[in-house]
Amino acid sequence: MPNSPAILMFIGEEYEDLEVWYPKLRLIEAGYQVVCAGLEANVVYKGKHGYPCRSDAAIRDQKSSDYVGVICPGGWMPDKIRREAKVKQLLQEFHADSKLVAAICHGGWMPISAGIYRNVRTTGSLGIKDDIENAGALFLDQEVVVDRHFVSSRKPDDLPAFLLGCLEVLGKSTRGELLG
C-alpha cells in the first residue's frame, strides 16, 4: 500500500513480542503502512520471548511529517531507546502536531522521557506508575485511556482495547476532526 498513511513503531532488543506484532498486523489490516524503526536499519531485533522483527529503518533517519502517528511498544526495549535524542524529538513533534502517540506497558517510558505526559490522563504497566505520576500525568488503572491524541494501555491483555483506541484517534485525525 504505497499511498497508505504510515505509522511509526519503535523497535529494539527485548521488545514485548505481542505489543509489536498485534498492533503491527492489526494496523496493516486497517489499511496503514507500519514502519518499524530501530537504532539501526535492517537489523533483526529479538523480542523478550524470542520472536524476531526486522527494522525497516533507522530512527535517526525518520521525520514525523512522514507519519500520522507513533506506537511505543513495551518490554525492556523502551528503557534503552528512550535515551536517544531523536526518539524524544520525534515524540515531541508528534505531540506538537496532535498526532497519535500510543504507548503500551513500559512503552510509556518513551513519552515520559520526551517530557510530553504533563497533564495527560494515561495508563501503563503498574511498574512505571510512579514514573508516569512523576512526569506530571494522571495515572488511571484502566485497559485503555484515550486523552486527545494520546492512547495508552497497561499490558498485552489490553491490546484489543488499545488498538480500538488507536484506530479511534487515527480515524479522527485522518478525517480532520479536532482531537480536543
Side-chain angles (χ1 to χ4, degrees):
M1 293 183 230
N3 293 326
S4 301
I7 306 286
L8 178 64
M9 181 180 291
F10 295 121
I11 191 72
E13 282 299 320
E14 298 187 88
Y15 66 87
E16 176 55 52
D17 305 61
L18 285 173
E19 294 169 3
V20 166
W21 285 99
Y22 184 97
K24 180 178 178 174
L25 297 174
R26 182 64 189 96
L27 288 165
I28 290 169
E29 286 176 345
Y32 292 89
Q33 177 185 9
V34 178
V35 175
C36 292
L39 294 178
E40 299 298 329
N42 203 32
V43 170
V44 175
Y45 294 101
K46 287 189 181 171
K48 285 173 50 179
H49 308 286
Y51 206 84
C53 182
R54 182 175 301 277
S55 58
D56 302 307
I59 293 168
R60 69 179 164 273
D61 299 329
Q62 301 314 295
K63 297 183 296 188
S64 63
S65 59
D66 292 338
Y67 299 98
V68 295
V70 61
I71 305 283
C72 301
W76 305 125
M77 173 267 303
D79 189 37
K80 296 171 183 125
I81 70 166
R82 71 179 174 150
R83 303 170 197 176
E84 297 294 318
K86 183 67 175 191
V87 168
K88 293 183 264 193
Q89 174 196 333
L90 286 165
L91 287 165
Q92 290 163 356
E93 291 171 1
F94 279 107
H95 170 54
D97 293 337
S98 296
K99 293 180 179 180
L100 172 70
V101 175
I104 184 165
C105 201
H106 286 76
W109 271 334
M110 290 182 266
I112 287 169
S113 290
I116 61 173
Y117 263 2
R118 181 160 305 287
N119 299 317
V120 174
R121 293 177 320 114
T122 189
T123 193
S125 166
L126 290 176
I128 66 168
K129 178 181 186 249
D130 291 346
D131 301 314
I132 289 171
E133 291 176 337
N134 289 334
L138 173 62
F139 180 88
L140 301 170
D141 187 10
Q142 298 173 218
E143 67 178 351
V144 66
V145 176
V146 178
D147 184 351
R148 296 162 288 155
H149 56 280
F150 293 98
V151 178
S152 56
S153 285
R154 303 168 299 186
K155 57 190 176 186
D157 287 349
D158 298 337
L159 280 163
F162 177 68
L163 261 293
L164 288 175
C166 290
L167 291 169
E168 173 188 326
V169 169
L170 288 167
K172 287 179 183 178
S173 67
T174 55
R175 287 192 308 268
E177 295 176 15
L178 291 176
L179 296 175

